[in-house]
Amino acid sequence: MKLFFFKLNCTLVLSVLVTSISAQQVNQGELHGNFQLDAQYYNIDSLIGAPVVKEKILTNGFMNLWYTKGNFSGGIRYENYLNVMQGFDPRYKGSGIPFRFASYKNDNLEATVGNFYEQFGGGLIIRAYEERGLGYDNAFDGIRIRLQPTKGIYLKGLIARQRTFFSLSSGIIRAFDAEFNLTEIVNKPDAKTIVILGGSAVSRFQRDEDPIYNLPENVAAFAGRLTINRGKFNIQAEYGYKYNDPNATNKFIYHPGQALSVTSTFSSKGFGILLSAKRLDNFDFRSDRTAAGIGANVNFLPALTRQHTYNLPATIYPYATQPNGEMGFQAELSYRLKKGSKLGGKYGTEITVNFSGTNGIVKNKVDNDTLGYSSPFFQASNQMFFRDFHVEIHRKLNAKWKATIMYLNWVYNKDVVQGLSGFGTIFADMGVVDVAYKINSKHTVRLETQVLISKQDMGSWGMGLVEYTFAPKWFVAIVDQYNYGNPDPIKQIHYFTLNTGYTNNGNRIMLQYGRQREGIFCVGGVCRSVPASNGFSISVTSSF
């Protein structure tokens, strides 16, 4: 019955959308969208531990269609997983239209029905978003209203359930947010200081059908935030509190959750500094208390570390947020040496120094086992989860050459971060050299080499890349990752890949053949495991 009504709703929305599109030449409506198909053919490769894929070919695909006319907008997304590619949650299986919406907006009111994404403040107690590279999509399905009753006051409210793959979570989310821009309220557009206050409340209702535990059916979370901006200085702070929420992630304890995030920045010409601190204590919040992994997350807890783009630091030991308890700190200093100076050179030199570290929190035993523990708010434990210290220098040498070099020192508690045992803490030093030579306006060659030196886990790695861009819509690249320091000589393996691609306006086609090592792929502290593979893959994207 639920599936029947879901298909009926999709059909009705699609009918309205198609009717609107057919009349767009008369009514001047606009249709936009995008398409993506990822597919891979899998070879058997027992040497690297690649899982056997019976289907041989696995695919992920989708298409969005968005239509707007005046104050109205609507859209649908079709998704297809036949079957889902390795490394993505296997609960993505089959095809359907899991996303459809209609929205109307006038001067001070916006109403949306169907599916939507939303975030209050920094997302500490609620954020729904999509990250296709992770296979992550926790869209809401319900009703949302945004209201601006007067200048400087912004109100939002919603009631919905969440998407969990091709179904909806069992919990119902009710949420309200209010934001007050004090500078706008007092009507001082020329004020040097901008102050914004905000507050949110989120409630989950889920029936207690557990035969063992006496579980709260209504769980509430609250958050307050402050933003101050004055010239070159900005500070953002947000605090959240969640009432007892026994769930699968915290092993069904009744300990309340708390979270605090503070970020300050200062920037001027050629100079910038960032300071951030964060504390999490039992702050995993889901619309289904039994969910785990990437399913049914209500809130968003980013990792307090830089998001690296180079391969080895980004994929071998990336940090995943530990919502059950962590305290972290990050500091970053960026400076640009002046053009024409002895150190800056003709074009100037950019230097970035960053340090981030995360420890566990102190958990003291209490007499009541159902409460789990007590924890002093401002006290970190001696258990180190993660450290990242790196220096990056970027310089344009002349009209044809530019280079980036980076040194990183890494500490990574693999048992804690990846939920494993027997690996312990890994210490590593990494180096990156990235050099590009511009032959002419249509041809560029880029050389990249990376090294990771460690005596723990898989030992040391080396990586080399040669990339040639031409026309300039085409590129071809050869990459080799070599686990030369693995303590097991049989596992000292080369992972060769050949990549080529074509980009033209909104269209892109990428082809790859070779080996993919086993690893972790993370975006913003949310991660998925990537199994080893050997084969041919293709990715086609288009937007219009």
Side-chain angles (χ1 to χ4, degrees), residues 17 165 294 443 481 493:
L17 183 62
F165 311 102
I294 63 172
H443 298 262
Q481 295 182 38
I493 302 170

Side-chain angles (χ1 to χ4, degrees), residues 470 474-477 498-502 509-512:
F470 55 100
W474 292 86
F475 82 90
V476 61
L498 174 64
N499 305 273
T500 185
Y502 170 78
I509 301 175
M510 295 183 62
L511 306 174
Q512 177 176 299

Side-chain angles (χ1 to χ4, degrees), residues 173-430:
I173 299 297
R174 295 76 56 95
F176 175 78
D177 181 75
E179 185 170 279
F180 305 92
N181 188 318
L182 302 185
T183 306
E184 292 182 0
I185 292 174
V186 299
N187 195 25
K188 289 187 176 182
D190 298 328
K192 295 182 179 180
T193 303
I194 298 174
V195 179
I196 301 173
L197 296 173
S200 308
V202 178
S203 172
R204 181 200 71 211
F205 173 78
Q206 184 180 15
R207 295 190 183 279
D208 177 15
E209 299 175 347
D210 195 285
I212 300 175
Y213 299 99
N214 181 18
L215 301 175
E217 294 188 326
N218 289 280
V219 174
F222 300 91
R225 61 186 184 270
L226 168 68
T227 299
I228 301 175
N229 185 288
R230 182 176 176 87
K232 302 173 182 179
F233 175 79
N234 177 273
I235 184 169
Q236 295 178 320
E238 187 169 9
Y239 170 79
Y241 184 90
K242 178 166 66 78
Y243 285 92
N244 54 51
D245 178 23
N247 56 63
T249 304
N250 65 18
K251 299 181 180 180
F252 291 92
I253 62 173
Y254 291 74
H255 182 79
Q258 295 187 79
L260 175 66
S261 175
V262 181
T263 299
S264 60
T265 60
F266 176 84
S267 62
S268 62
K269 187 177 181 180
F271 175 78
I273 187 169
L274 175 146
L275 298 172
S276 298
K278 181 181 68 172
R279 184 185 194 275
L280 301 177
D281 178 8
N282 190 29
F283 218 71
D284 185 81
F285 193 18
R286 300 176 188 254
S287 54
D288 182 350
R289 65 172 74 90
T290 65
I294 63 172
N297 286 282
V298 175
N299 59 342
F300 175 65
L301 305 172
L304 202 61
T305 180
R306 185 175 178 183
Q307 300 301 300
H308 290 285
T309 57
Y310 286 106
N311 186 277
L312 293 184
T315 62
I316 289 190
Y317 298 124
Y319 184 69
T321 303
Q322 304 300 303
N324 283 338
E326 67 171 33
M327 288 187 69
F329 174 82
Q330 180 178 204
E332 181 173 290
L333 175 67
S334 59
Y335 185 72
R336 182 179 180 86
L337 301 175
K338 292 182 179 180
K339 297 179 181 180
S341 64
K342 290 183 179 181
L343 295 177
K346 182 178 179 180
Y347 298 95
T349 301
E350 298 175 5
I351 301 175
T352 300
V353 180
N354 182 288
F355 173 81
S356 58
T358 301
N359 279 41
I361 61 174
V362 174
K363 295 184 178 181
N364 298 317
K365 187 177 180 180
V366 295
D367 294 334
N368 187 346
D369 291 338
T370 61
L371 293 178
Y373 58 90
S374 65
S375 180
F377 191 84
F378 292 105
Q379 187 174 350
S381 75
N382 294 324
Q383 186 180 28
M384 186 185 302
F385 289 175
F386 179 75
R387 292 287 187 275
D388 172 11
F389 170 77
H390 63 268
V391 180
E392 182 178 0
I393 301 174
H394 177 77
R395 181 166 180 168
K396 185 175 181 180
L397 304 175
N398 54 43
K400 291 185 175 294
W401 289 93
K402 62 180 180 180
T404 298
I405 60 173
M406 180 187 292
Y407 165 77
L408 306 95
N409 180 265
W410 214 262
V411 181
Y412 187 83
N413 190 327
K414 189 170 182 176
D415 290 350
V416 170
V417 178
Q418 298 187 19
L420 303 172
S421 62
F423 292 92
T425 299
I426 298 160
F427 301 86
D429 292 287
M430 304 185 205

